[in-house]
Short mmCIF file of all heavy atoms in Angstrom, two decimals:
data_model
loop_
_atom_site.label_atom_id
_atom_site.label_comp_id
_atom_site.label_asym_id
_atom_site.label_seq_id
_atom_site.Cartn_x
_atom_site.Cartn_y
_atom_site.Cartn_z
N MET A 21 -141.61 74.91 186.86
CA MET A 21 -141.47 76.36 186.78
C MET A 21 -140.76 76.76 185.49
O MET A 21 -141.33 77.43 184.66
CB MET A 21 -140.69 76.86 187.99
CG MET A 21 -140.42 78.38 187.95
SD MET A 21 -139.24 78.89 189.19
CE MET A 21 -138.93 80.56 188.61
N ALA A 22 -139.53 76.32 185.33
CA ALA A 22 -138.77 76.74 184.15
C ALA A 22 -138.93 75.75 183.00
O ALA A 22 -137.99 75.12 182.57
CB ALA A 22 -137.30 76.91 184.51
N SER A 23 -140.15 75.66 182.53
CA SER A 23 -140.40 74.87 181.34
C SER A 23 -139.96 75.72 180.16
O SER A 23 -140.14 76.94 180.17
CB SER A 23 -141.88 74.55 181.24
OG SER A 23 -142.15 73.83 180.07
N CYS A 24 -139.35 75.11 179.14
CA CYS A 24 -138.74 75.94 178.09
C CYS A 24 -139.75 76.78 177.33
O CYS A 24 -139.42 77.83 176.80
CB CYS A 24 -137.90 75.08 177.15
SG CYS A 24 -138.85 74.04 176.04
N SER A 25 -141.01 76.39 177.31
CA SER A 25 -141.99 77.19 176.60
C SER A 25 -142.26 78.52 177.31
O SER A 25 -142.83 79.43 176.75
CB SER A 25 -143.30 76.41 176.44
OG SER A 25 -143.83 76.07 177.71
N GLU A 26 -141.83 78.63 178.58
CA GLU A 26 -142.02 79.86 179.34
C GLU A 26 -140.77 80.74 179.34
O GLU A 26 -140.78 81.86 179.83
CB GLU A 26 -142.39 79.52 180.79
CG GLU A 26 -143.70 78.77 180.90
CD GLU A 26 -143.88 78.10 182.26
OE1 GLU A 26 -143.08 78.38 183.17
OE2 GLU A 26 -144.81 77.29 182.39
N MET A 27 -139.67 80.19 178.81
CA MET A 27 -138.41 80.93 178.85
C MET A 27 -138.36 82.00 177.77
O MET A 27 -138.78 81.76 176.64
CB MET A 27 -137.24 79.96 178.67
CG MET A 27 -137.08 79.02 179.84
SD MET A 27 -135.71 77.89 179.55
CE MET A 27 -135.44 77.30 181.23
N LYS A 28 -137.86 83.17 178.13
CA LYS A 28 -137.77 84.27 177.18
C LYS A 28 -136.30 84.60 176.90
O LYS A 28 -135.44 84.42 177.76
CB LYS A 28 -138.47 85.51 177.74
CG LYS A 28 -139.95 85.29 177.99
CD LYS A 28 -140.63 86.59 178.43
CE LYS A 28 -142.10 86.37 178.74
NZ LYS A 28 -142.26 85.63 180.02
N VAL A 29 -136.07 85.12 175.69
CA VAL A 29 -134.71 85.48 175.29
C VAL A 29 -134.11 86.46 176.30
O VAL A 29 -134.76 87.42 176.70
CB VAL A 29 -134.72 86.10 173.88
CG1 VAL A 29 -133.35 86.68 173.53
CG2 VAL A 29 -135.13 85.06 172.85
N GLY A 30 -132.88 86.19 176.70
CA GLY A 30 -132.17 87.07 177.61
C GLY A 30 -132.24 86.64 179.06
O GLY A 30 -131.44 87.07 179.88
N GLU A 31 -133.18 85.78 179.38
CA GLU A 31 -133.29 85.33 180.77
C GLU A 31 -132.15 84.37 181.10
O GLU A 31 -131.67 83.65 180.24
CB GLU A 31 -134.63 84.63 181.01
CG GLU A 31 -135.81 85.59 181.02
CD GLU A 31 -137.14 84.91 181.24
OE1 GLU A 31 -137.24 83.69 181.07
OE2 GLU A 31 -138.09 85.60 181.61
N VAL A 32 -131.77 84.39 182.36
CA VAL A 32 -130.72 83.48 182.83
C VAL A 32 -131.33 82.57 183.88
O VAL A 32 -132.01 83.03 184.79
CB VAL A 32 -129.53 84.27 183.43
CG1 VAL A 32 -128.50 83.31 184.03
CG2 VAL A 32 -128.89 85.15 182.37
N TYR A 33 -131.08 81.31 183.72
CA TYR A 33 -131.58 80.32 184.68
C TYR A 33 -130.40 79.68 185.37
O TYR A 33 -129.37 79.41 184.75
CB TYR A 33 -132.42 79.26 183.96
CG TYR A 33 -133.75 79.84 183.51
CD1 TYR A 33 -133.87 80.51 182.30
CD2 TYR A 33 -134.88 79.74 184.31
CE1 TYR A 33 -135.07 81.08 181.89
CE2 TYR A 33 -136.09 80.30 183.92
CZ TYR A 33 -136.18 80.96 182.72
OH TYR A 33 -137.37 81.53 182.34
N VAL A 34 -130.54 79.48 186.66
CA VAL A 34 -129.43 78.94 187.43
C VAL A 34 -129.84 77.66 188.15
O VAL A 34 -130.99 77.45 188.51
CB VAL A 34 -128.93 79.96 188.49
CG1 VAL A 34 -128.49 81.24 187.81
CG2 VAL A 34 -129.97 80.25 189.53
N CYS A 35 -128.85 76.82 188.34
CA CYS A 35 -129.00 75.65 189.20
C CYS A 35 -128.47 76.06 190.56
O CYS A 35 -127.31 76.44 190.70
CB CYS A 35 -128.19 74.47 188.64
SG CYS A 35 -128.12 73.08 189.79
N GLU A 36 -129.33 76.04 191.56
CA GLU A 36 -128.92 76.50 192.89
C GLU A 36 -128.03 75.49 193.58
O GLU A 36 -127.44 75.77 194.62
CB GLU A 36 -130.17 76.80 193.73
CG GLU A 36 -130.97 77.97 193.18
CD GLU A 36 -132.20 78.30 194.01
OE1 GLU A 36 -132.89 77.36 194.43
OE2 GLU A 36 -132.45 79.50 194.23
N ASP A 37 -127.94 74.32 193.01
CA ASP A 37 -127.12 73.29 193.62
C ASP A 37 -125.66 73.40 193.18
O ASP A 37 -124.76 73.55 193.99
CB ASP A 37 -127.70 71.92 193.26
CG ASP A 37 -127.33 70.86 194.28
OD1 ASP A 37 -126.57 71.19 195.21
OD2 ASP A 37 -127.79 69.71 194.14
N CYS A 38 -125.43 73.38 191.86
CA CYS A 38 -124.04 73.38 191.37
C CYS A 38 -123.60 74.72 190.81
O CYS A 38 -122.43 74.91 190.53
CB CYS A 38 -123.87 72.29 190.31
SG CYS A 38 -124.66 72.65 188.74
N GLY A 39 -124.53 75.67 190.63
CA GLY A 39 -124.12 76.99 190.16
C GLY A 39 -124.15 77.16 188.66
O GLY A 39 -123.81 78.23 188.15
N LEU A 40 -124.55 76.14 187.94
CA LEU A 40 -124.67 76.27 186.48
C LEU A 40 -125.62 77.40 186.13
O LEU A 40 -126.67 77.57 186.76
CB LEU A 40 -125.23 74.96 185.91
CG LEU A 40 -125.56 74.98 184.41
CD1 LEU A 40 -124.29 74.94 183.58
CD2 LEU A 40 -126.48 73.84 184.05
N GLU A 41 -125.22 78.22 185.14
CA GLU A 41 -126.11 79.29 184.68
C GLU A 41 -126.30 79.14 183.18
O GLU A 41 -125.34 79.02 182.44
CB GLU A 41 -125.52 80.67 184.99
CG GLU A 41 -125.39 80.93 186.47
CD GLU A 41 -125.04 82.39 186.79
OE1 GLU A 41 -124.94 83.19 185.85
OE2 GLU A 41 -124.89 82.69 187.98
N LEU A 42 -127.55 79.20 182.75
CA LEU A 42 -127.88 79.09 181.33
C LEU A 42 -128.62 80.34 180.91
O LEU A 42 -129.57 80.77 181.57
CB LEU A 42 -128.79 77.87 181.08
CG LEU A 42 -128.21 76.50 181.40
CD1 LEU A 42 -129.27 75.43 181.15
CD2 LEU A 42 -126.99 76.22 180.54
N GLN A 43 -128.17 80.96 179.80
CA GLN A 43 -128.89 82.12 179.27
C GLN A 43 -129.63 81.71 178.02
O GLN A 43 -129.10 80.99 177.17
CB GLN A 43 -127.91 83.25 178.94
CG GLN A 43 -128.65 84.49 178.43
CD GLN A 43 -127.74 85.69 178.26
OE1 GLN A 43 -126.55 85.54 178.02
NE2 GLN A 43 -128.29 86.88 178.40
N VAL A 44 -130.86 82.20 177.91
CA VAL A 44 -131.68 81.89 176.74
C VAL A 44 -131.27 82.80 175.59
O VAL A 44 -131.43 84.01 175.67
CB VAL A 44 -133.18 82.07 177.06
CG1 VAL A 44 -134.02 81.72 175.83
CG2 VAL A 44 -133.58 81.23 178.25
N LEU A 45 -130.71 82.23 174.55
CA LEU A 45 -130.31 83.00 173.37
C LEU A 45 -131.41 82.99 172.32
O LEU A 45 -131.52 83.90 171.52
CB LEU A 45 -129.03 82.41 172.76
CG LEU A 45 -127.81 82.40 173.69
CD1 LEU A 45 -126.62 81.79 172.97
CD2 LEU A 45 -127.47 83.80 174.17
N LYS A 46 -132.21 81.99 172.37
CA LYS A 46 -133.30 81.87 171.43
C LYS A 46 -134.36 81.03 172.14
O LYS A 46 -134.03 80.02 172.76
CB LYS A 46 -132.81 81.16 170.16
CG LYS A 46 -133.57 81.51 168.92
CD LYS A 46 -132.84 80.98 167.69
CE LYS A 46 -133.64 81.28 166.44
NZ LYS A 46 -132.99 80.71 165.23
N SER A 47 -135.60 81.46 172.08
CA SER A 47 -136.63 80.71 172.78
C SER A 47 -137.44 79.88 171.79
O SER A 47 -137.50 80.21 170.60
CB SER A 47 -137.55 81.64 173.55
OG SER A 47 -138.42 82.31 172.66
N CYS A 48 -138.06 78.86 172.28
CA CYS A 48 -138.83 78.03 171.36
C CYS A 48 -140.07 78.78 170.87
O CYS A 48 -140.61 78.46 169.82
CB CYS A 48 -139.19 76.69 171.99
SG CYS A 48 -139.99 76.76 173.57
N ALA A 49 -140.50 79.80 171.60
CA ALA A 49 -141.64 80.59 171.14
C ALA A 49 -141.29 81.37 169.87
O ALA A 49 -142.17 81.74 169.10
CB ALA A 49 -142.09 81.55 172.23
N ASP A 50 -139.98 81.62 169.66
CA ASP A 50 -139.54 82.35 168.48
C ASP A 50 -139.34 81.42 167.28
O ASP A 50 -139.16 81.87 166.16
CB ASP A 50 -138.20 83.06 168.75
CG ASP A 50 -138.36 84.14 169.81
OD1 ASP A 50 -139.47 84.67 169.94
OD2 ASP A 50 -137.37 84.44 170.49
N SER A 51 -139.35 80.17 167.54
CA SER A 51 -139.13 79.20 166.47
C SER A 51 -140.30 79.16 165.51
O SER A 51 -141.46 79.23 165.91
CB SER A 51 -138.91 77.82 167.08
OG SER A 51 -139.24 76.81 166.16
N GLU A 52 -140.00 79.08 164.23
CA GLU A 52 -141.08 79.00 163.25
C GLU A 52 -141.87 77.71 163.41
O GLU A 52 -143.07 77.66 163.16
CB GLU A 52 -140.51 79.10 161.83
CG GLU A 52 -139.99 80.49 161.52
CD GLU A 52 -139.48 80.60 160.09
OE1 GLU A 52 -139.80 79.71 159.30
OE2 GLU A 52 -138.77 81.57 159.81
N ALA A 53 -141.18 76.70 163.81
CA ALA A 53 -141.83 75.40 163.95
C ALA A 53 -142.79 75.38 165.14
O ALA A 53 -143.82 74.74 165.11
CB ALA A 53 -140.79 74.31 164.10
N ARG A 54 -142.43 76.12 166.20
CA ARG A 54 -143.21 76.09 167.45
C ARG A 54 -143.53 74.64 167.83
O ARG A 54 -144.66 74.30 168.17
CB ARG A 54 -144.51 76.88 167.31
CG ARG A 54 -144.24 78.37 167.18
CD ARG A 54 -145.52 79.15 166.97
NE ARG A 54 -145.24 80.59 166.81
CZ ARG A 54 -145.26 81.46 167.79
NH1 ARG A 54 -145.54 81.08 169.00
NH2 ARG A 54 -144.99 82.73 167.56
N ALA A 55 -142.52 73.83 167.71
CA ALA A 55 -142.74 72.40 167.85
C ALA A 55 -142.38 71.89 169.24
O ALA A 55 -142.19 70.71 169.44
CB ALA A 55 -141.93 71.65 166.80
N CYS A 56 -142.29 72.81 170.19
CA CYS A 56 -141.91 72.37 171.52
C CYS A 56 -142.97 71.45 172.12
O CYS A 56 -144.14 71.79 172.15
CB CYS A 56 -141.71 73.57 172.44
SG CYS A 56 -141.29 73.09 174.11
N SER A 57 -142.51 70.33 172.58
CA SER A 57 -143.46 69.41 173.21
C SER A 57 -142.97 68.97 174.58
O SER A 57 -143.29 67.90 175.06
CB SER A 57 -143.69 68.19 172.31
OG SER A 57 -142.45 67.55 172.07
N CYS A 58 -142.15 69.85 175.20
CA CYS A 58 -141.63 69.53 176.53
C CYS A 58 -142.78 69.48 177.54
O CYS A 58 -143.65 70.34 177.54
CB CYS A 58 -140.65 70.60 177.00
SG CYS A 58 -139.09 70.58 176.12
N SER A 59 -142.75 68.51 178.38
CA SER A 59 -143.72 68.47 179.46
C SER A 59 -143.02 68.57 180.81
O SER A 59 -143.62 68.92 181.81
CB SER A 59 -144.53 67.18 179.41
OG SER A 59 -143.69 66.07 179.43
N GLU A 60 -141.72 68.33 180.81
CA GLU A 60 -140.94 68.41 182.05
C GLU A 60 -140.14 69.72 182.06
O GLU A 60 -139.62 70.13 181.04
CB GLU A 60 -139.95 67.24 182.11
CG GLU A 60 -140.60 65.88 182.09
CD GLU A 60 -141.24 65.53 183.41
OE1 GLU A 60 -140.68 65.91 184.45
OE2 GLU A 60 -142.31 64.90 183.39
N PRO A 61 -140.04 70.37 183.22
CA PRO A 61 -139.19 71.55 183.33
C PRO A 61 -137.73 71.15 183.15
O PRO A 61 -137.36 70.01 183.44
CB PRO A 61 -139.42 72.05 184.75
CG PRO A 61 -140.61 71.31 185.25
CD PRO A 61 -140.69 70.04 184.48
N LEU A 62 -136.92 72.10 182.67
CA LEU A 62 -135.50 71.83 182.57
C LEU A 62 -134.92 71.68 183.97
O LEU A 62 -135.29 72.40 184.89
CB LEU A 62 -134.78 72.97 181.84
CG LEU A 62 -135.20 73.19 180.39
CD1 LEU A 62 -134.32 74.26 179.75
CD2 LEU A 62 -135.10 71.91 179.59
N SER A 63 -134.00 70.76 184.12
CA SER A 63 -133.47 70.52 185.45
C SER A 63 -131.98 70.25 185.41
O SER A 63 -131.41 69.95 184.37
CB SER A 63 -134.19 69.34 186.11
OG SER A 63 -133.94 68.16 185.38
N CYS A 64 -131.35 70.39 186.55
CA CYS A 64 -129.94 70.11 186.74
C CYS A 64 -129.80 69.62 188.17
O CYS A 64 -130.49 70.11 189.06
CB CYS A 64 -129.11 71.38 186.51
SG CYS A 64 -127.33 71.16 186.63
N CYS A 65 -128.95 68.64 188.37
CA CYS A 65 -128.74 68.09 189.72
C CYS A 65 -130.05 67.59 190.33
O CYS A 65 -130.21 67.57 191.55
CB CYS A 65 -128.10 69.11 190.65
SG CYS A 65 -126.50 69.69 190.12
N GLY A 66 -131.00 67.24 189.50
CA GLY A 66 -132.26 66.72 190.01
C GLY A 66 -133.23 67.79 190.47
O GLY A 66 -134.31 67.47 190.95
N GLU A 67 -132.83 69.06 190.32
CA GLU A 67 -133.71 70.16 190.73
C GLU A 67 -134.03 71.03 189.52
O GLU A 67 -133.26 71.09 188.56
CB GLU A 67 -133.02 71.04 191.78
CG GLU A 67 -132.63 70.32 193.05
CD GLU A 67 -133.82 69.93 193.89
OE1 GLU A 67 -134.88 70.58 193.77
OE2 GLU A 67 -133.70 68.96 194.67
N GLN A 68 -135.16 71.72 189.58
CA GLN A 68 -135.51 72.61 188.49
C GLN A 68 -134.59 73.82 188.48
O GLN A 68 -134.23 74.35 189.52
CB GLN A 68 -136.96 73.09 188.64
CG GLN A 68 -137.97 71.97 188.46
CD GLN A 68 -139.40 72.46 188.56
OE1 GLN A 68 -139.67 73.65 188.37
NE2 GLN A 68 -140.31 71.56 188.86
N LEU A 69 -134.27 74.30 187.26
CA LEU A 69 -133.53 75.54 187.15
C LEU A 69 -134.43 76.69 187.55
O LEU A 69 -135.64 76.65 187.31
CB LEU A 69 -133.05 75.74 185.71
CG LEU A 69 -132.07 74.69 185.19
CD1 LEU A 69 -131.75 74.97 183.71
CD2 LEU A 69 -130.79 74.67 185.99
N VAL A 70 -133.88 77.71 188.17
CA VAL A 70 -134.68 78.86 188.60
C VAL A 70 -134.22 80.12 187.88
O VAL A 70 -133.03 80.27 187.57
CB VAL A 70 -134.63 79.07 190.13
CG1 VAL A 70 -135.20 77.86 190.85
CG2 VAL A 70 -133.23 79.36 190.59
N LEU A 71 -135.16 81.01 187.63
CA LEU A 71 -134.86 82.26 186.95
C LEU A 71 -133.98 83.14 187.83
O LEU A 71 -134.29 83.35 189.00
CB LEU A 71 -136.16 82.99 186.61
CG LEU A 71 -136.04 84.33 185.90
CD1 LEU A 71 -135.36 84.18 184.55
CD2 LEU A 71 -137.42 84.94 185.74
N LYS A 72 -132.88 83.62 187.26
CA LYS A 72 -131.98 84.49 188.01
C LYS A 72 -132.56 85.89 188.00
O LYS A 72 -132.84 86.45 186.95
CB LYS A 72 -130.58 84.49 187.38
CG LYS A 72 -129.55 85.21 188.20
CD LYS A 72 -128.17 85.06 187.56
CE LYS A 72 -127.10 85.70 188.44
NZ LYS A 72 -125.77 85.61 187.79
N GLN A 73 -132.70 86.50 189.15
CA GLN A 73 -133.30 87.84 189.25
C GLN A 73 -132.26 88.91 189.00
O GLN A 73 -131.16 88.77 189.39
CB GLN A 73 -133.92 88.04 190.64
CG GLN A 73 -134.97 87.02 190.98
CD GLN A 73 -136.18 87.09 190.06
OE1 GLN A 73 -136.51 88.17 189.56
NE2 GLN A 73 -136.82 85.97 189.81
ZN1 ZN B 204 -126.64 71.54 188.80
#
């Protein structure tokens, strides 16, 4: 779900297990290199991070 290529600036992603929250300050889509080659979603505690509503 929360693969970094889908993350947009300003979004906050949370780990529902430990409560970690990450805010996107810059997305890889904005990068000039556009060199993102992630195939795995970002995860914490073994679970995918989810978009905070
Ligand atoms: Zn966690």
